[in-house]
Amino acid sequence: MTEAKLEAWLDEKRVFPPSESFVANANAKPSIYDEAKADPEAWWRKQAERLVWDKKPTSTLEWDLPNAKWFSDGTLNASVNCVDRHVAEGRGDKVAYYWVADADGESRTITYSELQKLVAKTANALVELGVKKGDRVAIYMPMIPEAVIAMLAVVRLGAAHSVVFGGFSADALSSRILDSDCRFVITADGAFRRGAPSPLKSAVDEALQSCPDVKTVLVVRRTGGDVHWVEGRDYWWHDVVDRQSDQHTPEFFPAEHTLFLMYTSGTTAKPKGIFHTTAGYLTQCAATYHYIFDVKPETDVLWTAADIGWITGHSYIVYGPLVLGATQIMYEGLPDSGGRDRWWRIVEQFKATVLYTAPTTIRTLMKWGDELPKSHDLSSLRLLGTVGEPINPEAWMWYRENVGRNNCPIVDTWWQTETGAIMITPLPGITATKPGAAMTPFPGISADVVDNEGNSVGNGEGGYLVITAPWPSMTRGIYGDPARFKSTYWDRFPGMYFAGDGAKRDEDGDLWLLGRIDDVMNISGHRLSTTEVEHALVGHPAVAEAAVVGATDDTTGQAIVAFVTLKLSAEDATKDQSHLVEELRQHVARVISPIAKPRQIILTPDLPKTRSGKIMRRLLRDVAENRSLGDVTTLMDPTVVNMISGLMQNEGTSED
Ligand code: WTA
């Protein structure tokens, strides 16, 4: 798209009305907004009817800020809701997953009745290995069907999974295992990335050196690579799972039984163990998936192109789609595994009807050119979604024109690990969309934009995004740290959930999300805290002090820029600074994950600080983004900033 064309669109304040085909057949009718507004609790009670219960709840919401309980006297089993009930209701032959491997041509089709047997076998295996109700089980796996099967088997037993993204380092894995006292780990020997095997089990071995309470590791053979083996601790999946009975009688658990933990970055170095419970979470995942993605389980083939190591994978590859009995594509590889048109070949081959992904991926696909999507038949697609970061209008328009061929509605969905499911979004068939705006709270959700004092701002004004009433899939807390839960989310504005995002209400009253207003960065849709990366950097023997900021980046949304001062001895010893910079980048990758590797590291003799000694990150962000520096009078040594600016300009940007 030319820039002139984009500008013309924006000048027109382009609005895309809902397409006729959706108006007629959409799951969402305009009346649902009124219905939910008139009685939100009754609305959510009705949504909870999508679940199968052992004992139906009579209660809806009990709210004692910040503690919510939803449907608390009901009992159910999450894996029965995802799998068994569909088989029992005669949909056993329906495809649950088309799994597509990293390698071209390799795929696997799993029906609901096959999934039921696999989950039952795995549950029996976990029982044999000693997993019990109330345990926590860490899952550190590539995007293979066994990851989903493991999740469902764990929750079937009333244990909670803690899925750790397979790209995280051994250190990150061990700190997550220790924080939630996991006694079991499920992993694979390795993963495939663009055809090449990369080890995973070795990171588990390393992590477990500091986790003496983990007594059992279940290992899927994926790559066939050599693995170190600890007899009595490590078990091959194929040895233990395959020989089990494919029948397993489930137990039922209270609605508020913990379902899973998901670690996410906050504003400190220590990630937060966000936990979710069963019925409210499943209710909102299913309701949002049904209305926002207009799911018709009979005919749709939906593709959430995310990793199950993140909340998007949990809610919209696993729980939402499965509760609805939908067919989901699960893809193991990278967007360019087997060529840059790989995604379009997958859409074409499986006739995907819905595609849900992150703006950063859309920008990457966009960079690879219009020809690739054009040369494939994408006519099966009828709806597109985006999540994870604000989407720039240009990427939105490219997605609409080149992937959606101008006739797929785009749902820009705002939500968080903490919210569990989508909160702010257009609805297909109802909302006239605007490129870059998430538009409207989902029915039953109350959101607002407030000023510093917590007062609602008017149209045309910006402020802080807050949620003003409890919702079913809200996190029930930070594992083991209720005080941090209260202070992080509920103390900033009394009575409201503080999301940490800036937002704007436009002249029509529609919502635009503007990104984080705290020290959380959003790199390619991945949440990382500045402190976490600083912590990793100062852990290197050569580093004295580090300040990290997220700077705007055309592809990744934000990129990490680190300002580092060296210890004197190290500085003296270091002849080749570019070598040291690279070593520091690798060090961060090792300590956290390759996704946390700074784009740029500036070695500087000093950092700009206020007179009270606080590092001025705002100013460093301005420097990193080449903005004018504004007021620097509170700085201890104003010359530091100019010096850093100069260093940045001499420094190239390191790209991988
Ligand atoms: C950001 C991902 C703008 C936001 C599901 C939020 C978004 C953080 C959007 C949560 C969106 C997510 N528009 N920003 N549509 N969706 N975000 O926990 O800053 O990984 O606070 O959950 O991503 O990231 P998380």
Side-chain angles (χ1 to χ4, degrees):
M1 182 166 34
T2 64
E3 241 170 63
K5 205 162 153 196
L6 178 70
E7 261 168 36
W9 259 311
L10 296 178
D11 282 351
E12 280 176 42
K13 292 209 170 71
R14 188 91 178 187
V15 175
F16 296 94
S19 67
E20 286 305 314
S21 62
F22 270 88
V23 175
N25 299 315
N27 290 351
K29 305 288 177 222
S31 60
I32 63 176
Y33 284 112
D34 302 329
E35 187 190 336
K37 195 165 177 198
D39 189 344
E41 287 187 37
W43 157 261
W44 286 120
R45 218 163 34 238
K46 195 164 142 192
Q47 302 313 311
E49 286 170 15
R50 272 197 193 88
L51 303 184
V52 288
W53 300 84
D54 184 51
K55 177 177 173 297
K56 275 197 190 308
T58 58
S59 64
T60 306
L61 169 66
E62 293 146 74
W63 179 225
D64 177 14
L65 187 145
N67 301 309
K69 289 183 185 165
W70 285 85
F71 317 117
S72 73
D73 63 344
T75 61
L76 74 171
N77 183 296
S79 104
V80 168
N81 269 278
C82 289
V83 187
D84 305 51
R85 54 92 62 96
H86 300 301
V87 181
E89 291 164 16
R91 293 188 293 276
D93 291 339
K94 179 142 191 47
V95 173
Y97 289 103
Y98 289 117
W99 176 74
V100 183
D102 177 78
D104 245 330
E106 186 188 347
S107 67
R108 189 173 157 191
T109 300
I110 301 172
T111 64
Y112 275 90
S113 56
E114 286 164 344
L115 187 61
Q116 183 185 36
K117 293 194 173 103
L118 292 164
V119 171
K121 282 182 167 204
T122 311
N124 286 325
L126 293 180
V127 170
E128 186 182 306
L129 294 173
V131 175
K132 290 185 302 299
K133 175 167 98 180
D135 286 343
R136 268 93 41 219
V137 177
I139 297 180
Y140 182 68
M141 280 177 117
M143 282 285 287
I144 55 177
E146 286 78 4
V148 176
I149 294 163
M151 289 164 76
L152 294 169
V154 165
V155 301
R156 190 175 184 89
L157 302 177
H161 52 72
S162 170
V163 180
V164 178
F165 175 57
F168 273 124
S169 66
D171 276 8
L173 176 62
S174 74
S175 67
R176 284 159 175 76
I177 289 173
L178 288 171
D179 186 72
S180 54
D181 191 19
C182 291
R183 306 288 171 99
F184 300 85
V185 178
I186 306 178
T187 188
D189 54 353
F192 283 111
R193 291 168 66 83
R194 294 193 194 94
S198 69
L200 265 186
K201 168 77 165 49
S202 53
V204 174
D205 294 329
E206 193 186 331
L208 294 192
Q209 286 174 9
S210 51
C211 306
D213 291 336
V214 174
K215 303 282 189 240
T216 312
V217 181
L218 185 59
V219 189
V220 176
R221 183 180 283 154
R222 172 68 191 124
T223 58
D226 286 343
V227 288
H228 169 72
W229 205 251
V230 178
E231 278 308 326
R233 186 196 74 179
D234 299 348
Y235 298 85
W236 283 114
W237 177 285
H238 53 263
D239 283 345
V240 186
V241 174
D242 290 1
R243 62 178 164 78
Q244 301 289 334
S245 156
D246 60 12
Q247 304 294 313
H248 177 269
T249 309
E251 216 188 297
F252 296 95
F253 306 103
E256 284 295 338
H257 191 70
T258 299
L259 190 68
F260 68 85
L261 281 80
M262 167 110 264
Y263 281 83
T264 189
S265 295
T267 52
T268 66
K270 188 172 183 276
K272 300 177 283 199
I274 296 297
F275 70 94
H276 285 281
T277 58
T278 309
Y281 172 79
L282 293 180
T283 296
Q284 196 171 328
C285 285
T288 49
Y289 209 48
H290 170 78
Y291 287 116
I292 301 164
F293 295 91
D294 193 48
V295 178
K296 311 281 198 277
E298 291 312 312
T299 48
D300 273 320
V301 178
L302 303 112
W303 183 12
T304 297
D307 194 286
I308 51 134
W310 308 111
I311 192 72
T312 305
H314 280 50
S315 302
Y316 301 110
I317 296 177
V318 183
Y319 292 108
L322 292 181
V323 169
L324 297 182
T327 299
Q328 181 74 216
I329 294 174
M330 179 178 180
Y331 174 48
E332 183 187 29
L334 297 167
D336 57 352
S337 296
R340 288 181 166 180
D341 66 343
R342 184 67 190 279
W343 267 36
W344 315 127
R345 283 189 279 133
I346 293 173
V347 169
E348 194 168 21
Q349 183 184 351
F350 294 93
K351 302 207 173 352
T353 53
V354 173
L355 177 62
Y356 186 32
T357 188
T360 186
T361 314
I362 298 169
R363 288 191 293 268
T364 301
L365 295 165
M366 185 168 132
K367 263 205 222 159
W368 293 343
D370 302 356
E371 275 316 303
L372 297 177
K374 282 213 175 83
S375 59
H376 292 274
D377 178 8
L378 308 183
S379 61
S380 56
L381 287 172
R382 62 187 197 91
L383 188 123
L384 305 173
T386 114
V387 59
E389 49 175 323
I391 180 161
N392 49 315
E394 187 177 7
W396 196 101
M397 288 307 307
W398 185 86
Y399 200 29
R400 181 184 157 83
E401 283 197 328
N402 294 278
V403 184
R405 307 160 331 277
N406 288 317
N407 62 23
C408 296
I410 297 182
V411 290
D412 173 0
T413 62
W414 179 90
W415 58 298
Q416 305 177 301
T417 305
E418 294 87 337
T419 71
I422 295 168
M423 302 290 280
I424 301 175
T425 179
L427 286 181
I430 301 181
T431 317
T433 52
K434 300 173 183 175
M439 304 297 294
T440 318
F442 185 75
I445 301 298
S446 312
D448 201 355
V449 182
V450 298
D451 64 18
N452 230 348
E453 277 70 53
N455 302 312
S456 196
V457 304
N459 286 0
E461 288 175 46
Y464 304 96
L465 180 72
V466 290
I467 312 294
T468 54
W471 63 100
S473 65
M474 64 188 267
T475 174
R476 301 301 192 260
I478 298 174
Y479 192 83
D481 202 346
R484 187 175 177 198
F485 177 53
K486 172 107 183 345
S487 65
T488 306
Y489 303 104
W490 302 96
D491 285 354
R492 177 71 177 82
F493 299 111
M496 303 177 200
Y497 170 85
F498 173 60
D501 278 26
K504 172 182 93 178
R505 210 183 262 298
D506 70 15
E507 296 297 344
D508 306 320
D510 295 319
L511 295 173
W512 297 68
L513 279 306
L514 305 175
R516 302 290 307 193
I517 42 94
D518 52 16
D519 288 333
V520 175
M521 300 176 287
N522 193 327
I523 317 297
S524 297
H526 302 319
R527 265 170 78 169
L528 288 163
S529 92
T530 50
T531 349
E532 211 173 350
V533 180
E534 286 167 3
H535 213 77
L537 283 166
V538 294
H540 188 282
V543 174
E545 215 176 8
V548 164
V549 298
T552 306
D553 185 277
D554 283 349
T555 304
T556 56
Q558 279 188 312
I560 301 176
V561 178
F563 299 87
V564 167
T565 64
L566 297 177
K567 288 182 181 154
L568 267 184
S569 54
E571 203 175 3
D572 289 342
T574 309
K575 300 275 179 302
D576 179 1
Q577 295 217 326
S578 68
H579 181 75
L580 178 63
V581 162
E582 191 45 38
E583 189 184 312
L584 291 177
R585 295 178 73 236
Q586 296 306 336
H587 172 76
V588 175
R590 251 191 331 271
V591 175
I592 306 175
S593 162
I595 56 177
K597 233 192 298 185
R599 180 186 72 184
Q600 217 171 346
I601 294 180
I602 316 297
L603 301 179
T604 161
D606 210 347
L607 290 170
K609 291 187 185 150
T610 59
R611 287 173 205 281
S612 62
K614 233 179 135 219
I615 293 171
M616 297 196 75
R617 283 215 184 69
R618 177 188 58 76
L619 219 134
L620 288 174
R621 196 171 312 127
D622 287 344
V623 172
E625 292 177 348
N626 292 325
R627 271 200 297 271
S628 86
L629 294 177
D631 180 21
V632 291
T633 48
T634 50
L635 282 183
M636 203 165 62
D637 179 3
T639 54
V640 171
V641 179
N642 294 334
M643 176 199 64
I644 290 175
S645 276
L647 284 171
M648 284 226 27
Q649 266 138 40
N650 297 334
E651 187 86 6
T653 296
S654 27
E655 298 234 19
D656 273 358

